[in-house]
Amino acid sequence: TETKDYLRSLPPQKPKKLSRLLPGASAAAIDLLKRLLRFDPRKRITAEEALNHPYLKNVVDQDVVDASVNSPVVFEFETETDQSIEEIRVKLNEEVQAWESEFKIAAGDKKEE
């Protein structure tokens, strides 16, 4: 494909030092970013590995992660046909907004416990 040909035509480049680009970032943050930003997707960290990374240990709710493993995300609008890109964007944004609202409510309930 054109994209692969274009990428192959680029001269090799050394990776930028993230610690220089983000001088205030912790070593754990830099490590996670390096793993997330690997160019080769086969070498990139998986979502599960990222969620278990030490940098995220204080923000990841393991119960939520465990409950969502092997549970596909299904968007109601996926079964609709003949949608424009803009219609899909709008519907996806609506799904995200609904999820965020639900998450905020659940997070608020959890704080009250």
Side-chain angles (χ1 to χ4, degrees), residues 15 18-19 21 25-26 34 36 38-39 41 48 51 53 56 66 68 82-83 85-88 90 95 97 108 110:
L18 292 175
S19 57
L21 293 172
S26 68
K34 282 181 184 177
L36 288 167
R38 289 221 167 111
F39 186 75
E48 186 175 355
L51 289 170
H53 191 276
L56 298 177
D66 292 342
S68 65
D82 299 327
Q83 298 180 83
I85 296 294
E86 187 55 34
E87 289 172 318
I88 293 171
V90 168
E95 291 276 350
Q97 296 297 322
K110 200 169 195 178

Side-chain angles (χ1 to χ4, degrees), residues 74-83:
V74 178
F75 296 108
E76 293 177 17
F77 64 84
E78 287 181 314
T79 57
E80 297 175 23
T81 58
D82 299 327
Q83 298 180 83

Side-chain angles (χ1 to χ4, degrees), residues 2 6 19 44 46 54 56 58 78 91 100 110-111:
E2 289 181 36
Y6 172 72
S19 57
R44 204 172 295 145
T46 66
L56 298 177
N58 294 324
E78 287 181 314
K91 290 178 181 179
E100 284 180 343
K110 200 169 195 178
K111 287 179 185 174

Side-chain angles (χ1 to χ4, degrees), residues 27-84:
I30 297 294
D31 181 65
L32 178 59
L33 278 173
K34 282 181 184 177
R35 292 169 186 245
L36 288 167
L37 297 175
R38 289 221 167 111
F39 186 75
D40 185 341
R42 296 168 298 180
K43 296 179 181 177
R44 204 172 295 145
I45 192 171
T46 66
E48 186 175 355
E49 291 167 337
L51 289 170
N52 288 309
H53 191 276
Y55 182 71
L56 298 177
K57 71 179 178 202
N58 294 324
V59 295
V60 173
D61 184 338
Q62 196 59 46
D63 293 336
V64 172
V65 173
D66 292 342
S68 65
V69 170
N70 298 322
S71 299
V73 176
V74 178
F75 296 108
E76 293 177 17
F77 64 84
E78 287 181 314
T79 57
E80 297 175 23
T81 58
D82 299 327
Q83 298 180 83
S84 71

